[in-house]
Amino acid sequence: MKGMDFYMKAVIMAGGEGTRLRPLTLNVPKPMVNVLNRPMMAHIIGLLKQHGITEIAVTLLYLPNVIQDYFGDGSRFGVHLEYFVEEKPLGTAGSVKNAEDFLSEDFLVISGDCLTDIDLEKAVSFHNENNAAATIVLSEVNNPSEYGIVVTNEEGRIQRFLEKPSPSEAFSNTVNTGIYILNKKMLSYFEPGINMDFSRDLFPAILKNRDRFFGYNAPGYWCDMGDLRAYLRCHRDLLDGKVNISLEGIIRDKGVFLEEGAFLEVGATIMPPVYIGKNTYIQSGAEIMPYSVIGSSCVVSDRVKTSGSVVDCGSYLDEGSYVDGAVLAKKVTLKKNAKVYEGAVIGEETVIGVNSIVKPDIKIWTNKQIEDESIVSLSIINSERLNRNLFGYRGITGTPGVDFTPENIAKLSACFGAMNKMGKLAVAYDGHAVSYMAKAALTAGAMSSGVKVYDFGQNLLSVVRSAVSFYGLKGAMYVSFRSKKLQIEFIDADGANIDRKTEKAIEGLMGREDFARVGSHLIETPLNLENYKNYYFKTMSTRFYLNKIDRFVYLKAESPLVDQYCDQLFEEVLIKPIRLKDKIMKNGEITARISGDGERLTLYAEDGSEIKDDKMFMLIILILMGDRNSGKIVVPPYLSQKAVTLAENNGAEVIVSKNSDAAFMKEMLRQNAQEEFRMCYDAVYALSKIMEYLAVKNLQLSDITRNLPEIFKTHRKVRLEHDDRALVMRKILNQYEKENLQLLDGIKINKKDGWVFIVPDNNKASFTIITEGINEEYANELCDFYELELKKQS
């Protein structure tokens, strides 16, 4: 047994509710979920004891009596436990502050719901050798998006960290394990009784105060039992011997782990690795296939087959039943020939009837009775794609009938509705029949959560954004159908796309299918407001001096809805544009193209030259700054430096947003740049504004564009053979940390004659490289060089 040469106490944080592990955590707190037939927290206590730490505080919040009743004073486990129960949620740091009187000068904090064999003695030695005020124990993982990433310098001092980053923000694959060694003085940063989080509150304060703050990159195994997939994965790792933990009283024989009293009849087939708990009875003819874990006091009958599954204590598997890659909680009964398939989770004391089938990824809550001959398919078979990483760069995109069905669209809407707590939400669509189907499902889901639905019918997204603010709604859902893909966008109360935090909350609710329904007395009929667009265009037409335009504007629309809106606007101001399908005019007239969602505008000047993307942004800058010669301009991180310089030369204070549409929108609204917001995300408005500007100034568009600088930019997609985006990001960050870097949901490296922006894909093992140079050749050279760098680092 190991033991440290110095005295230290520990705190086990055991207040977690474990919502992502439901239904396993409906009746017990997360640290009490069994792993190899004993609570997770028991393994943590064993690890502390192994390293000579026996004085332990336990912080409790959710169902505290369950933990106290099981562990008592700790003497049964060879330690001394004292409990500190929160009367209200105090957060991770606040819960430890609650135990301050118990703690010694330096102490260790560890989560009660992880699985690890990290050498705590070495971590404490590292802390002491560096005379650290605080040390975070770190581990390397493949996908850091669910954790807090930490970046250290060569000596181990922490430079930056980010809690639960999106893939584009994951600058490292080195993550916070939730194991900390702290000097007691660190708790003096805040008062008792206040909700404080280590990563959100305490660690930034420690960095700001320049205390000695270190990260110890620990070898060994660490797994956060964050969700049901991680729960199954940890069991596989344990059975494969990847985790060095104490399993007292276990007989091990060639990959078969047997607790005392386990009984296997002759004729039972056991294919290692497997684990069988005490007093469990395996009958002749049963097949216990690899990676099966059977808890205590279970009965596994003749012709039962289990594979890659966890069956918890007291469960009964009747003849011919089948469990493959699933989790059965305590006291589950599978009647004769019942089958439970991969990814399914069955709650405590649930009975699955004779010949019934539970399809993949289904969750059944506790104490349910599934009738004989049932096929349980409440979730779709491919729900994994909808329950994890739902959101892409902007909203959710998928194939109707495959990724999207009316059922899961309604669930998405119910999740968004539940988050808005009986508020008012808008729904609208782009006019396509498929979009209309999805809008109907969104409406039903929102209504089921008690939301008052404002139905704006067939409309442009820009109009819906305006309506959200006008009516004081809590948000909106907008559906469009293009290129055989359905897209759902979620809008917040400001009219901007929701941020990543809200997206992750929706993903979490969908993954748990944990959203409330309301009674029929709280469901209201939707309010039809499709004619709001008439008011919208009336107010827009009165804002502009469009009657001063004495030349034609040629429109080239991507959707009939956009055509309809443009016709309506110009009819209001007595302009009759000629619409062409394909031809770009070059005879002294302007041609405009508007995207199908009504947000993006492309112009062709009188000489036929194209104005879009960066040059369009330059035009917007000139118009916005033309009258005031000062103010704020918000720019995305991939905008040409020449556009930034143009803004600065016109007296603008330039603010760079993070790399997403939602972040760009929110930053504009935060900076009170509503006019810029409308010009970037309302193409009809932007067209009107530009035409007015030209008319009032008596300018040709080509007069302006002729003086705009030429831009040399390159975009390239780089695919990786393996999905190690975070590791690649960390290597790039470490290699170029001494250069002029910006971390903006990606890594931007500024060079003397250009820049390179490296952005990981949210859902795929790939990167986008965007470069700008003083000429086309240099932009391509930059792109070539960093493409090779990415491939070399992967």
Side-chain angles (χ1 to χ4, degrees):
M1 178 182 293
K2 293 184 180 181
M4 288 186 276
D5 297 332
F6 36 83
Y7 176 71
M8 176 167 281
K9 292 183 178 182
V11 180
I12 297 176
M13 296 184 294
E17 188 173 347
T19 52
R20 289 187 294 164
L21 282 178
R22 288 178 181 172
L24 302 183
T25 53
L26 288 173
N27 295 327
V28 297
K30 187 178 177 183
M32 291 300 295
V33 172
N34 280 345
V35 174
L36 286 192
N37 204 33
R38 63 200 68 192
M40 283 190 266
M41 186 171 140
H43 295 294
I44 295 300
I45 289 176
L47 179 70
L48 293 171
K49 181 184 174 184
Q50 178 184 346
H51 291 282
I53 301 176
T54 58
E55 292 290 314
I56 304 168
V58 183
T59 65
L60 303 174
L61 177 62
Y62 177 65
L63 300 176
N65 292 339
V66 176
I67 292 177
Q68 290 172 308
D69 292 345
Y70 183 88
F71 290 102
D73 63 3
S75 57
R76 185 161 59 99
F77 300 87
V79 298
H80 172 70
L81 301 179
E82 287 196 26
Y83 299 99
F84 297 85
V85 182
E86 301 166 49
E87 295 181 2
K88 62 179 182 179
L90 295 175
T92 52
S95 70
V96 174
K97 178 77 172 183
N98 200 36
E100 186 173 16
D101 292 342
F102 171 85
L103 300 173
S104 52
E105 185 61 22
D106 279 10
F107 60 93
L108 185 141
V109 178
I110 190 168
S111 173
D113 53 19
C114 66
L115 181 67
T116 182
D117 61 8
I118 285 173
D119 191 327
L120 301 179
E121 185 175 354
K122 288 183 178 179
V124 172
S125 296
F126 175 88
H127 172 83
N128 291 331
E129 288 165 6
N130 286 284
N131 192 27
T135 298
I136 300 178
V137 177
L138 309 174
S139 182
E140 292 187 6
V141 299
N142 290 329
N143 180 12
S145 295
E146 294 300 318
Y147 311 105
I149 60 170
V150 180
V151 177
T152 61
N153 63 15
E154 292 179 357
E155 62 176 339
R157 290 196 74 149
I158 291 175
Q159 296 178 303
R160 60 175 70 90
F161 52 85
L162 181 63
E163 190 68 16
K164 293 187 178 180
S166 66
S168 61
E169 296 174 307
F171 307 121
S172 171
N173 67 331
T174 306
V175 302
N176 177 359
T177 64
I179 303 173
Y180 313 127
I181 302 135
L182 302 173
N183 186 281
K184 190 174 179 179
K185 293 178 182 178
M186 296 298 99
L187 298 180
S188 65
Y189 277 99
F190 57 98
E191 299 297 320
I194 297 174
N195 189 302
M196 297 287 285
D197 182 80
F198 279 114
S199 295
R200 184 191 69 230
D201 302 306
L202 182 58
F203 293 156
I206 292 174
L207 269 181
K208 184 177 180 180
N209 201 47
R210 300 185 180 277
D211 290 312
R212 293 185 63 79
F213 192 15
F214 284 81
Y216 171 65
N217 202 340
Y221 184 89
W222 174 80
C223 177
D224 172 38
M225 213 75 65
D227 56 27
L228 293 158
R229 290 178 180 82
Y231 181 71
L232 281 172
R233 185 174 66 250
C234 285
H235 279 89
R236 291 182 70 94
D237 291 341
L238 282 160
L239 293 177
D240 279 336
K242 294 180 179 179
V243 195
N244 181 24
I245 63 171
S246 174
L247 294 173
E248 298 177 5
I250 306 299
I251 301 171
R252 306 186 196 191
D253 182 21
K254 298 179 181 178
V256 178
F257 298 75
L258 292 177
E259 291 189 10
E260 181 182 354
F263 183 76
L264 282 64
E265 281 189 351
V266 175
T269 299
I270 309 295
M271 297 288 291
V274 299
Y275 187 101
I276 301 173
K278 63 183 178 182
N279 302 323
T280 282
Y281 179 33
I282 310 293
Q283 293 185 1
S284 176
E287 296 181 61
I288 311 300
M289 305 306 287
Y291 301 106
S292 294
V293 174
I294 314 293
S296 300
S297 303
C298 293
V299 175
V300 182
S301 305
D302 182 32
R303 295 186 297 106
V304 168
K305 184 175 181 179
T306 69
S307 176
S309 300
V310 176
V311 179
D312 213 338
C313 306
S315 293
Y316 180 83
L317 280 56
D318 205 350
E319 292 182 8
S321 56
Y322 176 77
V323 189
D324 180 24
V327 178
L328 276 55
K330 295 175 182 176
K331 299 181 181 180
V332 167
T333 298
L334 299 188
K335 290 189 175 181
K336 191 173 181 178
N337 296 326
K339 294 177 173 58
V340 182
Y341 287 100
E342 184 177 5
V345 186
I346 313 299
E348 286 186 22
E349 300 189 34
T350 287
V351 178
I352 308 297
V354 175
N355 293 324
S356 291
I357 295 173
V358 179
K359 286 193 172 184
D361 295 314
I362 297 301
K363 296 175 187 173
I364 301 177
W365 251 225
T366 60
N367 297 295
K368 303 299 181 187
Q369 296 283 331
I370 305 302
E371 295 182 0
D372 296 348
E373 311 288 342
S374 297
I375 298 178
V376 184
S377 55
L378 297 177
S379 299
I380 60 173
I381 291 175
N382 64 333
S383 61
E384 177 180 346
R385 279 190 290 175
L386 278 173
N387 286 347
R388 301 178 70 200
N389 298 325
L390 282 171
F391 288 85
Y393 180 74
R394 181 163 159 175
I396 305 173
T397 304
T399 303
V402 179
D403 303 298
F404 283 123
T405 67
E407 292 85 358
N408 60 47
I409 292 173
K411 287 177 183 178
L412 277 169
S413 180
C415 291
F416 192 49
M419 292 174 62
N420 286 283
K421 297 179 182 177
M422 308 293 289
K424 300 173 182 178
L425 292 177
V427 294
Y429 75 112
D430 67 349
H432 198 282
V434 175
S435 304
Y436 179 82
M437 176 275 294
K439 189 206 72 159
L442 289 172
T443 301
M447 290 171 64
S448 74
S449 68
V451 160
K452 174 70 174 180
V453 175
Y454 282 48
D455 188 345
F456 288 88
Q458 181 178 335
N459 240 309
L460 293 183
L461 179 52
S462 54
V463 177
V464 177
R465 293 188 193 279
S466 166
V468 167
S469 175
F470 182 81
Y471 286 100
L473 308 182
K474 287 198 171 183
M477 293 172 284
Y478 185 82
V479 192
S480 57
F481 183 71
R482 293 189 295 276
S483 302
K484 298 183 180 180
K485 293 290 185 180
L486 194 67
Q487 182 176 29
I488 302 176
E489 297 192 51
F490 294 82
I491 311 302
D492 66 16
D494 295 321
N497 284 53
I498 59 173
D499 58 22
R500 182 57 186 151
K501 181 179 179 181
T502 308
E503 290 177 349
K504 289 178 77 68
I506 293 174
E507 289 171 345
L509 289 176
M510 277 294 289
R512 303 190 301 271
E513 295 193 11
D514 186 16
F515 40 85
R517 307 289 194 186
V518 299
S520 57
H521 65 291
L522 293 175
I523 295 178
E524 299 185 56
T525 302
L527 182 63
N528 189 319
L529 291 168
E530 187 167 1
N531 287 332
Y532 170 75
K533 60 189 176 187
N534 297 327
Y535 170 78
Y536 172 82
F537 282 113
K538 285 279 187 186
T539 56
M540 186 190 292
S541 64
T542 59
R543 294 189 56 159
F544 302 120
Y545 301 103
L546 296 177
N547 57 342
K548 293 189 176 183
I549 299 173
D550 56 1
R551 58 181 180 272
F552 292 112
V553 178
Y554 294 89
L555 297 175
K556 185 180 179 184
E558 289 185 5
S559 80
L561 185 61
V562 173
D563 270 346
Q564 175 190 332
Y565 275 53
C566 289
D567 286 347
Q568 184 171 346
L569 173 64
F570 290 115
E571 185 178 339
E572 291 282 347
V573 293
L574 302 178
I575 293 177
K576 295 182 179 179
I578 298 173
R579 187 189 310 123
L580 300 180
K581 288 185 177 180
D582 300 306
K583 187 178 179 183
I584 304 300
M585 299 298 290
K586 297 182 180 180
N587 62 347
E589 307 298 348
I590 295 172
T591 307
R593 176 186 290 129
I594 296 176
S595 62
D597 58 6
E599 289 200 338
R600 293 176 301 282
L601 172 66
T602 302
L603 290 177
Y604 298 86
E606 297 85 351
D607 57 3
S609 59
E610 186 179 43
I611 303 100
K612 66 175 183 176
D613 301 332
D614 293 62
K615 288 202 172 183
M616 179 62 70
F617 208 96
M618 287 181 175
L619 184 57
I620 291 172
I621 289 170
L622 290 173
I623 292 172
L624 291 177
M625 303 307 298
D627 295 329
R628 58 180 189 255
N629 293 321
S630 65
K632 297 177 180 179
I633 291 288
V634 180
V635 302
Y638 49 79
L639 186 69
S640 167
Q641 181 59 40
K642 293 175 181 177
V644 173
T645 301
L646 178 69
E648 291 172 339
N649 290 343
N650 279 272
E653 177 188 349
V654 176
I655 297 160
V656 182
S657 76
K658 289 190 174 183
N659 182 44
S660 72
D661 263 9
F664 183 42
M665 293 178 195
K666 293 300 288 184
E667 191 61 44
M668 283 190 282
L669 295 171
R670 189 180 297 116
Q671 300 298 337
N672 199 31
Q674 281 87 355
E675 191 79 355
E676 182 185 356
F677 180 93
R678 290 198 69 178
M679 291 200 70
C680 289
Y681 291 99
D682 186 342
V684 179
Y685 180 90
L687 177 60
S688 302
K689 186 80 174 176
I690 291 167
M691 296 306 298
E692 177 199 46
Y693 179 81
L694 296 175
V696 171
K697 299 289 185 181
N698 194 26
L699 290 171
Q700 296 276 313
L701 182 57
S702 54
D703 293 337
I704 299 174
T705 57
R706 196 177 297 117
N707 294 318
L708 294 179
E710 192 169 2
I711 294 169
F712 303 101
K713 285 174 66 177
T714 302
H715 291 67
R716 190 174 300 170
K717 181 76 81 174
V718 179
R719 301 190 183 278
L720 306 180
E721 291 187 11
H722 307 287
D723 190 3
D724 47 7
R725 287 166 289 173
L727 177 61
V728 172
M729 289 279 277
R730 189 187 76 180
K731 288 180 178 179
I732 293 291
L733 184 63
N734 290 342
Q735 184 169 345
Y736 296 99
E737 63 180 348
K738 294 181 181 178
E739 296 200 27
N740 184 3
L741 296 183
Q742 291 174 281
L743 304 182
L744 301 158
D745 288 357
I747 299 175
K748 188 173 184 180
I749 306 171
N750 295 295
K751 303 284 188 179
K752 179 182 177 182
D753 294 321
W755 50 260
V756 58
F757 191 33
I758 302 170
V759 185
D761 191 286
N762 271 352
N763 299 318
K764 299 176 184 177
S766 63
F767 284 83
T768 296
I769 302 176
I770 307 171
T771 61
E772 181 178 26
I774 54 173
N775 53 46
E776 186 175 357
E777 182 182 9
Y778 183 59
N780 286 327
E781 285 178 2
L782 277 177
C783 208
D784 292 341
F785 177 82
Y786 283 96
E787 179 179 5
L788 290 174
E789 283 291 287
L790 288 176
K791 291 180 177 178
K792 184 172 68 176
Q793 301 292 0
S794 65

